[in-house]
Amino acid sequence: MLPFHRVAAEDFAAVNQRILDQLNSDVPLVENIGHYLVEAGGKRLRPLLVLLCARACGYRGNRHIDLATIIEFIHTATLLHDDVVDTSELRRGRLTANAKWGNAPSVLVGDFLYSRAFQMMVALQDMGIMAILSDTTNTIAEGEVQQLVNAGDPGVGEDSYLTVIHKKTGALFEAACETAAVLSGCTGEVQTALKLYGRHLGLAFQLVDDALDYRGNPEALGKNVGDDLAEGKPTLPLIYTMTNGTEAQVQLVREAIEQHSAKQLSSIVEAIETCGALDYTMEHARAAVDNAKAQLAFLPDCAQKTALQQLASFAVEREA
């Protein structure tokens, strides 16, 4: 357990139990896939953000447990759908649900998790939270579609890339923090600050993920290095290389994206490294972390605020 998890250990245990309670279904396959995903572990950063932000804002109730569970269900549903779209076979070092059970069950259980999240959302009886989360799920879906459109297109620029990763990743980080502030009855100023903290933190995590896809350790990552390339995803390391590399490097990367091929992975990794693309990506991630931390000035000093600062630092220090 990482330091920022320990601060919320008691609440986190309650969320884990709530997740298990809410996976109940008359259809055994739903529970089987749901429990398989829960047992896979992961950092559970999005529900953690709800817990830390709520307590940092002085919240003393227990509805943040349900809110954190809702956020985790939405995230897990997106992973199920993502793995089907990307035809992924590994996640967190284990077979993906679609590799184990097939595409149709994975999509349908993802739909179950989405609908269960919205059932729980209604039970919270907070229209402000419902408005944020309904907009967020729509934004995530848009990001998924745009990423699909961008796949195989070497002409995608940095601005388009940043828009997609905000929609796919940053939006749910943002919503986790903002809804925790709304639940806590914070001022609009604090709500906005935490929303921006989540936005910048999500950006940093995705940027680092995209760098680790070419520099990471497969065992630590729990997936194959170069997966993004095999899916034709024009991420920032590739975009930078096509803008700043030699003519041969540009052609190499363009063809790999167009062909959705990782056959020349070692040569592409060398091109990315030599032209400074990974350093550039990490610089962007560190700037995003600095922006995230700056938003925490609105919070009073407390263990949860410290944990949020540690979490931001972890975003760029991690190896998986």
Side-chain angles (χ1 to χ4, degrees), residues 29 60 162 210 221 228 265:
L29 184 59
R60 293 293 174 261
L162 291 172
D210 290 347
L221 291 174
D228 287 348
L265 179 61

Side-chain angles (χ1 to χ4, degrees), residues 90-103:
L90 279 179
R91 184 177 287 277
R92 297 168 183 161
R94 304 203 313 174
L95 287 175
T96 55
N98 52 296
K100 190 173 177 66
W101 281 280
N103 288 342

Side-chain angles (χ1 to χ4, degrees), residues 91-163:
R91 184 177 287 277
R92 297 168 183 161
R94 304 203 313 174
L95 287 175
T96 55
N98 52 296
K100 190 173 177 66
W101 281 280
N103 288 342
S106 296
V107 170
L108 294 173
V109 172
D111 292 343
F112 171 86
L113 293 176
Y114 263 132
S115 58
R116 180 52 53 87
F118 274 84
Q119 286 177 322
M120 295 180 70
M121 212 182 300
V122 170
L124 284 178
Q125 297 186 332
D126 189 312
M127 285 301 295
I129 288 174
M130 186 174 289
I132 293 167
L133 292 180
S134 59
D135 286 347
T136 298
T137 53
N138 189 257
T139 296
I140 293 170
E142 281 188 338
E144 293 289 353
V145 174
Q146 188 59 57
Q147 180 172 267
L148 188 64
V149 170
N150 289 352
D153 181 3
V156 172
E158 188 171 320
D159 287 345
S160 178
Y161 160 81
L162 291 172
T163 297

Side-chain angles (χ1 to χ4, degrees), residues 57-74:
C57 290
Y59 183 69
R60 293 293 174 261
N62 57 17
R63 293 199 301 160
H64 67 317
I65 302 300
D66 281 337
L67 179 56
T69 303
I70 290 165
I71 293 290
E72 181 64 7
F73 277 176
I74 291 172

Side-chain angles (χ1 to χ4, degrees), residues 2 19 62 73 87 115 126 136 170 172 211 250 259 293 317:
L2 294 161
I19 288 171
N62 57 17
F73 277 176
T87 61
S115 58
D126 189 312
T136 298
L172 195 55
V250 171
Q259 297 169 9
K293 288 181 177 179
E317 293 169 356

